[in-house]
């Protein structure tokens, strides 16, 4: 049994919801002893604040010998990761998670 946790995010990952998103990511990572899979299939918009939170979560996981994997990024997410040349920064899986909690 894997101790990886999963979190599904939906809607907008923008500056307007950054504080709430940060709290959710921190809590999810705290409950992920081996790592966290973040399903981004339902994300409709993401800005630099959303990207920064994903990067901060990734770095926090690495600092504690865990990993963050992005799953099924939506077209909006893929476009922004391409724009910022961050595709190679993240571990990205194409398939959506079978289980997850929508944002």
């Amino acid at each position: 049994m894997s101790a990886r946790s999963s979190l599904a995010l939906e809607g907008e990952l923008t500056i307007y919801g950054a504080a709430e998103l940060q709290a959710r990511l921190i809590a999810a990572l705290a409950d992920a002893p081996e790592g966290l899979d973040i399903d981004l299939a339902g994300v409709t918009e993401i800005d630099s604040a959303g990207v920064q939170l994903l990067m901060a979560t990734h770095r926090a996981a690495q600092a504690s010998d865990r990993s963050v994997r992005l799953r099924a990024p939506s077209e909006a997410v893929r476009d922004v990761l391409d724009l910022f040349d961050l595709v190679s920064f993240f571990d990205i899986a194409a398939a959506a998670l079978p289980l997850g909690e929508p944002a």
Side-chain angles (χ1 to χ4, degrees):
M1 182 172 157
S2 173
R4 290 188 70 82
S5 296
S6 63
L7 173 69
L9 300 176
E10 294 181 342
E12 298 178 3
L13 303 183
T14 65
I15 187 71
Y16 302 109
E20 179 185 339
L21 176 60
Q22 182 180 29
R24 290 193 68 208
L25 289 169
I26 290 170
L29 188 58
D31 290 336
E34 290 188 16
L36 178 64
D37 292 341
I38 304 173
D39 187 333
L40 300 171
V43 174
T44 58
E45 182 178 351
I46 183 170
D47 66 7
S48 60
V51 171
Q52 288 175 351
L53 289 173
L54 292 176
M55 292 177 70
T57 304
H58 174 78
R59 288 186 174 131
Q62 286 185 322
S64 57
D65 294 325
R66 292 176 286 170
S67 64
V68 167
R69 181 182 308 135
L70 305 183
R71 292 219 163 222
S74 67
E75 184 176 341
V77 173
R78 289 192 313 267
D79 287 348
V80 170
L81 294 180
D82 283 340
L83 177 68
F84 293 139
D85 196 22
L86 290 171
V87 173
S88 62
F89 179 83
F90 292 104
D91 177 10
I92 301 175
L97 295 173
L99 300 173
E101 299 175 22

